Amino acid sequence: MKAVVITGHGGNEVVEVRSCERPVRQPGEVLVRMTAATLNQVDLYMRNSGAGITHQLPQIMGLDGAGTVEEVDADERVLAVGQRVLIHPAVTCGRCEFCQRGDNVLCTQIQLLGEHRHGTFAQWVSVPARNVFAMPAGLSFVQAAALGVNHITAWRMLVTKAQIKPWETALIFGVGGGVSLAAMQLAKAMGVRVIVTSRDDHKLERALALGADHTINSQTHDVSKAVMALTDGRGVDVVIENVGQAVWSAAMKSLVRGGRLVTCGATSGDQPPADLRRIFIRQLQILGSTHGNFAEFHDMLAFVAQHRIQPVIDHEYPMDQVHAALDRLASQQQFGKVGLNLTCVSE
């Protein structure tokens, strides 16, 4: 089969489309013929260094993906050959205390596809049956693939961590990115008032067209002052951010007393000033979040289907144009997900 493989660390020169052995399905697993995947920031990180993530090279890239079931156990009752499915990328032990209580995303032996083991940028993938879910109706394969990282991450942040309510207001930083855009889509479907930021006016215009209530250009405006103006001096109930150090001060200053800040990343740095006095005097809550567990994945997919949410795809590339896809993601010019067509190899 063909697959996208990292052979070392550096730039696109270490990323190759090459022939690999097709995976052999083990008992309890599902073999999926892959159709599409999307790129995530961790794909750039794995290419660049992969520092701190246990992995062996060469390794197939990719966290999320969607396709059709090719092989299953004879006694499988949920999935069937030919069914359109998407993949939850966290392969877990099922036995540690966190798995036992249903929060497998905290598993002490977690292995993420494309990070700790071979990933989804391949024509076939074999994973445990519990990691395979039916695609919501009405989505393309690349749209379904997009749900596997960004939408489930945003869902856990909004629902499990922030426990956001329909009457509340949320501030979402960096709306062009996948998690932020997913958070905006989900929050609006929940009835939440949403303020989004970006340094790009075009992205802000697109966010408004997709339902954002207010936008702030973070390059030309003081975000916290703009938030206070939009909320009559009150502040927002929830901040959703994955930028880290560059926006931390503005995020903290934008919260109402007792507000919640949920973070899932630190692309601009991971050592912001703690601002402890603000935290305890205003009784703020700082919540860390990463991805989501199987139950959350199930609930998120049902919500997406019920509200007919369509993940935004910026551009879809054939597998052998993966370098162009990585460059598009690295440019930070994308609005929505950068997709990879795993069945299409350009001439």
Side-chain angles (χ1 to χ4, degrees), residues 63-82:
L63 272 78
D64 59 40
T68 55
V69 175
E70 183 104 339
E71 296 176 12
V72 294
D73 286 345
D75 60 354
E76 170 62 41
R77 296 184 178 182
V78 176
L79 302 167
V81 172

Side-chain angles (χ1 to χ4, degrees), residues 177-190:
V179 171
S180 299
L181 189 52
M184 188 196 81
Q185 288 185 297
L186 293 170
K188 285 307 304 174
M190 295 170 189

Side-chain angles (χ1 to χ4, degrees), residues 210-227:
L210 288 170
D213 295 288
H214 306 283
T215 64
I216 301 170
N217 186 314
S218 57
Q219 189 165 12
T220 59
H221 292 77
D222 182 302
V223 171
S224 61
K225 289 182 179 179
V227 166

Side-chain angles (χ1 to χ4, degrees), residues 288-340:
S289 189
T290 303
H291 206 246
N293 61 41
F294 293 142
E296 291 164 335
F297 202 60
H298 175 274
D299 291 345
M300 181 272 294
L301 293 178
F303 186 87
V304 165
Q306 178 185 355
H307 293 272
R308 299 181 180 179
I309 293 172
Q310 300 274 326
V312 178
I313 305 302
D314 175 80
H315 195 85
E316 185 175 356
Y317 295 85
M319 184 191 288
D320 65 356
Q321 290 185 24
V322 65
H323 288 178
L326 288 165
D327 288 343
R328 178 65 177 172
L329 182 63
S331 75
Q332 299 185 347
Q333 296 302 306
Q334 84 283 359
F335 185 84
K337 296 293 288 181
V338 177
L340 206 61

Side-chain angles (χ1 to χ4, degrees), residues 1-4 17-20 60 121-124 319 342 345:
M1 70 173 184
K2 294 291 186 181
V4 177
V17 177
R18 59 163 62 172
S19 294
C20 299
I60 298 173
F121 293 177
Q123 291 178 306
W124 279 274
M319 184 191 288
L342 302 173
V345 178

